[in-house]
Amino acid sequence: MTEQRTAGATLAHVVTAAWAAVLVGLHALAGFFVLSALLTRSEGPWDRTVTGTARLMSGLGLAVELLALAVTAAGVNTGRLRRWWYAPVVALVLTALVRMVFAPRP
């Protein structure tokens, strides 16, 4: 009986760790996109693609973070993850939205 409880607890920990690893990967990917959007600068008055590039990278980061939000919500609702996992989602979504709104104008 004790071996079954130990095996069940170990499996639960493995599933939780896998869930967390998927979320960390999604946050890293979204962070790359958002950071790329933040680092996109205009080279001069002739550079008209900078607005589109910043918005595209912000949009990609936002799309990945919305997927991460769904995964986080499923993890929190099943009791595998705690509510603090929403913090990176909120931070990256807000950063992406602000960058999309305040993208540089050519």
Side-chain angles (χ1 to χ4, degrees):
M1 187 80 156
T2 310
E3 290 179 21
Q4 288 180 344
R5 286 185 188 172
T6 305
T10 303
L11 180 62
H13 286 64
V14 169
V15 170
T16 302
W19 210 313
V22 167
L23 277 175
V24 168
L26 287 172
H27 292 317
L29 182 61
F32 168 75
F33 288 136
V34 172
L35 183 63
S36 295
L38 290 172
L39 295 178
T40 302
R41 299 281 181 236
S42 177
E43 294 180 10
W46 63 87
D47 190 8
R48 302 218 181 265
T49 61
V50 67
T51 302
T53 302
R55 288 188 176 159
L56 173 69
M57 296 306 270
S58 294
L60 289 173
L62 189 62
V64 172
E65 274 306 306
L66 290 178
L67 177 63
L69 176 63
V71 173
T72 302
V76 170
N77 287 338
T78 59
R80 295 266 182 219
L81 301 173
R82 298 194 186 260
R83 280 188 255 156
W84 68 265
W85 280 93
Y86 285 118
V89 174
V90 170
L92 285 168
V93 164
L94 288 177
T95 305
L97 287 175
V98 166
R99 183 58 176 164
M100 285 177 82
V101 169
F102 295 110
R105 302 282 180 213

